[in-house]
Amino acid sequence: MLARGDATQSQHTRQRVALPQEALAMMLGVTRQTLSKELNALAGEGVVSLGYGRIELLSLDALQRMVSTG
């Protein structure tokens, strides 16, 4: 959802989401450590790339498949 922007939920996705892990963890209701572990797993699978204060989406299709399969 963050890749689609604000409440308008644009049809176009952003490749990069500028957001500190701490803020994202708070939005999701998890600890920063738990989020970091999950993001690193996604990075290991080549789905995302992590940088300081940003998450780059490398495979939106893979993320959407993960969401739909649970």
mmCIF file of all heavy atoms in Angstrom, residues 3 8 11 18-20 22 31-32 34 37 39 41 44 50 55-56 61:
data_model
loop_
_atom_site.group_PDB
_atom_site.id
_atom_site.type_symbol
_atom_site.label_atom_id
_atom_site.label_comp_id
_atom_site.label_asym_id
_atom_site.label_seq_id
_atom_site.Cartn_x
_atom_site.Cartn_y
_atom_site.Cartn_z
ATOM 1 N N ALA A 3 3.640 1.666 -1.393
ATOM 2 C CA ALA A 3 4.198 1.876 -2.731
ATOM 3 C C ALA A 3 3.221 2.612 -3.639
ATOM 4 O O ALA A 3 3.618 3.218 -4.615
ATOM 5 C CB ALA A 3 4.572 0.537 -3.358
ATOM 6 N N THR A 8 -4.974 8.214 -1.706
ATOM 7 C CA THR A 8 -5.550 8.126 -3.047
ATOM 8 C C THR A 8 -5.273 6.781 -3.686
ATOM 9 O O THR A 8 -5.968 6.390 -4.625
ATOM 10 C CB THR A 8 -4.991 9.232 -3.963
ATOM 11 O OG1 THR A 8 -3.579 9.043 -4.115
ATOM 12 C CG2 THR A 8 -5.293 10.607 -3.418
ATOM 13 N N GLN A 11 -2.708 4.230 -9.100
ATOM 14 C CA GLN A 11 -2.529 3.017 -9.887
ATOM 15 C C GLN A 11 -1.049 2.738 -10.150
ATOM 16 O O GLN A 11 -0.668 1.619 -10.463
ATOM 17 C CB GLN A 11 -3.272 3.127 -11.221
ATOM 18 C CG GLN A 11 -4.766 3.166 -11.064
ATOM 19 C CD GLN A 11 -5.311 1.885 -10.444
ATOM 20 O OE1 GLN A 11 -4.824 0.802 -10.699
ATOM 21 N NE2 GLN A 11 -6.323 2.018 -9.608
ATOM 22 N N ALA A 18 10.434 5.802 0.962
ATOM 23 C CA ALA A 18 11.304 6.448 1.938
ATOM 24 C C ALA A 18 10.598 6.450 3.288
ATOM 25 O O ALA A 18 9.653 7.200 3.510
ATOM 26 C CB ALA A 18 11.636 7.870 1.500
ATOM 27 N N LEU A 19 11.055 5.552 4.160
ATOM 28 C CA LEU A 19 10.403 5.393 5.454
ATOM 29 C C LEU A 19 11.356 4.655 6.394
ATOM 30 O O LEU A 19 11.817 3.565 6.055
ATOM 31 C CB LEU A 19 9.116 4.582 5.272
ATOM 32 C CG LEU A 19 8.216 4.391 6.470
ATOM 33 C CD1 LEU A 19 7.575 5.713 6.884
ATOM 34 C CD2 LEU A 19 7.135 3.384 6.124
ATOM 35 N N PRO A 20 11.642 5.230 7.540
ATOM 36 C CA PRO A 20 12.494 4.516 8.493
ATOM 37 C C PRO A 20 11.820 3.236 8.990
ATOM 38 O O PRO A 20 10.590 3.176 9.118
ATOM 39 C CB PRO A 20 12.662 5.508 9.647
ATOM 40 C CG PRO A 20 12.253 6.828 9.107
ATOM 41 C CD PRO A 20 11.266 6.550 8.016
ATOM 42 N N GLU A 22 11.711 2.009 11.865
ATOM 43 C CA GLU A 22 11.003 2.224 13.129
ATOM 44 C C GLU A 22 9.578 2.715 12.883
ATOM 45 O O GLU A 22 8.630 2.258 13.521
ATOM 46 C CB GLU A 22 11.764 3.224 13.998
ATOM 47 C CG GLU A 22 11.156 3.386 15.374
ATOM 48 C CD GLU A 22 12.037 4.218 16.302
ATOM 49 O OE1 GLU A 22 13.259 4.003 16.304
ATOM 50 O OE2 GLU A 22 11.470 5.060 17.000
ATOM 51 N N THR A 31 7.723 -4.996 16.486
ATOM 52 C CA THR A 31 8.960 -4.341 16.925
ATOM 53 C C THR A 31 9.844 -4.071 15.712
ATOM 54 O O THR A 31 9.719 -4.727 14.668
ATOM 55 C CB THR A 31 9.746 -5.217 17.913
ATOM 56 O OG1 THR A 31 10.186 -6.403 17.241
ATOM 57 C CG2 THR A 31 8.904 -5.563 19.136
ATOM 58 N N ARG A 32 10.736 -3.118 15.849
ATOM 59 C CA ARG A 32 11.666 -2.819 14.764
ATOM 60 C C ARG A 32 12.545 -4.025 14.478
ATOM 61 O O ARG A 32 12.877 -4.322 13.335
ATOM 62 C CB ARG A 32 12.521 -1.594 15.101
ATOM 63 C CG ARG A 32 13.296 -1.097 13.868
ATOM 64 C CD ARG A 32 14.527 -0.314 14.218
ATOM 65 N NE ARG A 32 15.436 -1.001 15.101
ATOM 66 C CZ ARG A 32 16.272 -1.992 14.739
ATOM 67 N NH1 ARG A 32 16.286 -2.433 13.507
ATOM 68 N NH2 ARG A 32 17.078 -2.534 15.609
ATOM 69 N N THR A 34 11.735 -7.230 14.788
ATOM 70 C CA THR A 34 10.956 -8.208 14.027
ATOM 71 C C THR A 34 10.840 -7.773 12.569
ATOM 72 O O THR A 34 11.023 -8.583 11.652
ATOM 73 C CB THR A 34 9.553 -8.381 14.644
ATOM 74 O OG1 THR A 34 9.704 -8.887 15.969
ATOM 75 C CG2 THR A 34 8.690 -9.319 13.822
ATOM 76 N N LYS A 37 14.116 -8.302 10.724
ATOM 77 C CA LYS A 37 14.317 -9.713 10.392
ATOM 78 C C LYS A 37 13.540 -10.076 9.132
ATOM 79 O O LYS A 37 14.066 -10.733 8.227
ATOM 80 C CB LYS A 37 13.866 -10.581 11.570
ATOM 81 C CG LYS A 37 13.978 -12.053 11.341
ATOM 82 C CD LYS A 37 13.481 -12.814 12.560
ATOM 83 C CE LYS A 37 13.373 -14.293 12.271
ATOM 84 N NZ LYS A 37 12.784 -15.022 13.398
ATOM 85 N N LEU A 39 12.322 -7.990 6.769
ATOM 86 C CA LEU A 39 12.825 -7.258 5.609
ATOM 87 C C LEU A 39 14.125 -7.865 5.099
ATOM 88 O O LEU A 39 14.343 -7.951 3.880
ATOM 89 C CB LEU A 39 13.029 -5.781 5.953
ATOM 90 C CG LEU A 39 11.768 -4.939 6.092
ATOM 91 C CD1 LEU A 39 12.108 -3.539 6.579
ATOM 92 C CD2 LEU A 39 11.003 -4.875 4.774
ATOM 93 N N ALA A 41 14.941 -10.966 5.305
ATOM 94 C CA ALA A 41 14.564 -12.205 4.616
ATOM 95 C C ALA A 41 14.081 -11.889 3.205
ATOM 96 O O ALA A 41 14.451 -12.572 2.240
ATOM 97 C CB ALA A 41 13.485 -12.952 5.404
ATOM 98 N N GLY A 44 17.010 -11.040 1.119
ATOM 99 C CA GLY A 44 17.724 -12.256 0.766
ATOM 100 C C GLY A 44 17.092 -13.000 -0.398
ATOM 101 O O GLY A 44 17.774 -13.682 -1.165
ATOM 102 N N LEU A 50 17.342 -2.915 0.704
ATOM 103 C CA LEU A 50 17.244 -2.023 1.857
ATOM 104 C C LEU A 50 18.378 -1.006 1.856
ATOM 105 O O LEU A 50 19.507 -1.324 1.503
ATOM 106 C CB LEU A 50 17.292 -2.838 3.148
ATOM 107 C CG LEU A 50 16.247 -3.942 3.276
ATOM 108 C CD1 LEU A 50 16.500 -4.758 4.530
ATOM 109 C CD2 LEU A 50 14.858 -3.356 3.281
ATOM 110 N N ILE A 55 13.206 1.614 1.409
ATOM 111 C CA ILE A 55 13.009 0.242 0.953
ATOM 112 C C ILE A 55 12.736 0.336 -0.532
ATOM 113 O O ILE A 55 11.834 1.061 -0.969
ATOM 114 C CB ILE A 55 11.815 -0.425 1.665
ATOM 115 C CG1 ILE A 55 12.036 -0.434 3.168
ATOM 116 C CG2 ILE A 55 11.599 -1.840 1.131
ATOM 117 C CD1 ILE A 55 10.797 -0.800 3.966
ATOM 118 N N GLU A 56 13.518 -0.377 -1.324
ATOM 119 C CA GLU A 56 13.309 -0.397 -2.766
ATOM 120 C C GLU A 56 12.631 -1.709 -3.137
ATOM 121 O O GLU A 56 13.084 -2.782 -2.754
ATOM 122 C CB GLU A 56 14.635 -0.272 -3.506
ATOM 123 C CG GLU A 56 14.457 -0.173 -4.994
ATOM 124 C CD GLU A 56 15.739 0.141 -5.733
ATOM 125 O OE1 GLU A 56 16.756 0.430 -5.079
ATOM 126 O OE2 GLU A 56 15.718 0.087 -6.971
ATOM 127 N N ASP A 61 5.527 -8.047 -8.044
ATOM 128 C CA ASP A 61 4.760 -9.279 -8.291
ATOM 129 C C ASP A 61 4.989 -10.309 -7.182
ATOM 130 O O ASP A 61 4.046 -10.939 -6.710
ATOM 131 C CB ASP A 61 5.136 -9.893 -9.641
ATOM 132 C CG ASP A 61 4.649 -9.055 -10.811
ATOM 133 O OD1 ASP A 61 3.690 -8.281 -10.637
ATOM 134 O OD2 ASP A 61 5.235 -9.177 -11.896
#
